[in-house]
């Protein structure tokens, strides 16, 4: 006897039973099953990534914005770029006052340090401390390394298909967001 599967959140029978958003009349059962498996695996990956992020945030005692800021600081450090509060404001999409408050808090907790900008005496630069950099590498870097290994195990042709799918999906979602914004949603 085949094992009965529970309906998945990403399955069209559960999310769009009346076919309001997606007309499925001309999609074969096998194609539909495969597409739903892709959606299910993408959803599962997002859930796992959220678990990883929450675990890292708890371990480092940081919120999501703090973590995003630290990732940007680590990237700047790794590439030899100077990061200013204005750079963080632009990257995070938050106010200057919020950046100042965040950096004050991160500095007080030993996660970042401020220093004089090397070429602009009116500005400061912010960098992650070595201790926080190592903690972030341990907490998040090891998970990133696992994704890298999966990508490495694929052929160049398989990677191109994945890249095309992820890029097209990102573009479609971005377009959907823009359309919703235009409609005031």
């Amino acid at each position: 006897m085949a094992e009965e599967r529970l309906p998945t959140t990403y399955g069209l029978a559960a999310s769009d039973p009346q076919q309001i958003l997606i007309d499925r009349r001309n999609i074969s059962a096998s194609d539909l099953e495969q597409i739903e498996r892709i959606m299910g695996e993408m959803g599962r990956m997002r859930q796992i990534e959220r678990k990883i992020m929450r675990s890292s945030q708890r371990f480092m005692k940081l919120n999501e914005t703090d973590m995003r800021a630290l990732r940007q600081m680590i990237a700047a450090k790794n590439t030899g770029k100077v990061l200013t509060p204005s750079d963080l404001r632009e990257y995070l999409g938050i106010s200057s006052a919020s950046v100042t408050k965040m950096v004050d808090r991160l500095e007080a907790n030993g996660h970042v340090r401020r220093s004089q900008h090397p070429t602009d005496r009116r500005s400061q630069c912010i960098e992650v401390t070595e201790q926080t950099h190592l903690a972030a590498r341990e907490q998040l870097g090891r998970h990133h390394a696992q994704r890298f290994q999966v990508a490495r195990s694929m052929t160049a042709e398989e990677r191109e298909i994945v890249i095309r799918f992820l890029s097209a999906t990102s573009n479609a979602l971005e377009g959907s967001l823009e359309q919703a914004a235009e409609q005031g949603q």
Side-chain angles (χ1 to χ4, degrees):
M1 184 169 142
E3 181 180 325
E4 187 175 328
R5 294 183 345 181
L6 291 173
T8 170
T9 306
Y10 302 99
L12 292 172
S15 64
D16 187 26
Q18 285 79 36
Q19 301 188 45
I20 295 168
L21 297 172
I22 300 171
D23 181 355
R24 301 185 293 279
R25 288 178 293 195
N26 296 323
I27 302 174
S28 72
S30 63
D31 284 350
L32 187 58
E33 180 184 353
Q34 192 175 40
I35 292 166
E36 287 186 339
R37 285 178 46 214
I38 291 170
M39 297 301 140
E41 287 302 320
M42 288 177 66
R44 186 169 78 100
M45 188 172 70
R46 281 193 306 271
Q47 288 175 334
I48 293 167
E49 286 179 335
R50 281 193 295 270
K51 284 180 185 178
I52 290 167
M53 186 56 65
R54 284 192 302 268
S55 172
S56 298
Q57 288 171 343
R58 279 191 306 272
F59 176 80
M60 297 179 74
K61 297 175 178 70
L62 299 170
N63 65 40
E64 183 179 344
T65 303
D66 296 344
M67 293 293 283
R68 288 181 59 220
L70 288 177
R71 279 197 307 271
Q72 188 69 359
M73 287 181 227
I74 290 168
K77 183 176 185 172
N78 288 342
T79 58
K81 297 213 164 69
V82 174
L83 192 71
T84 66
S86 295
D87 296 329
L88 278 180
R89 179 189 53 74
E90 187 176 318
Y91 174 74
L92 297 171
I94 61 177
S95 70
S96 295
S98 294
V99 168
T100 299
K101 185 176 179 180
M102 178 190 63
V103 172
D104 287 346
R105 184 179 63 254
L106 291 173
E107 186 176 40
N109 290 318
H111 294 295
V112 303
R113 68 179 150 266
R114 289 180 170 113
S115 60
Q116 196 68 36
H117 193 284
T119 59
D120 182 356
R121 296 178 52 93
R122 298 169 294 156
S123 185
Q124 292 182 333
C125 58
I126 307 162
E127 64 181 333
V128 66
T129 62
E130 194 59 33
Q131 181 180 359
T132 295
H133 189 181
L134 291 173
R137 183 180 318 148
E138 174 56 30
Q139 284 296 306
L140 298 169
R142 62 189 158 112
H143 302 297
H144 183 65
Q146 292 303 309
R147 283 190 292 261
F148 179 88
Q149 291 304 330
V150 170
R152 183 180 183 189
S153 73
M154 301 172 95
T155 66
E157 294 80 16
E158 289 170 328
R159 286 191 296 267
E160 281 302 322
I161 291 168
V162 172
I163 291 166
R164 193 172 71 235
F165 170 74
L166 293 174
S167 178
T169 300
S170 295
N171 291 340
L173 292 174
E174 199 166 52
S176 181
L177 273 175
E178 290 169 3
Q179 184 181 19
E182 289 170 4
Q183 295 171 353
Q185 298 174 355

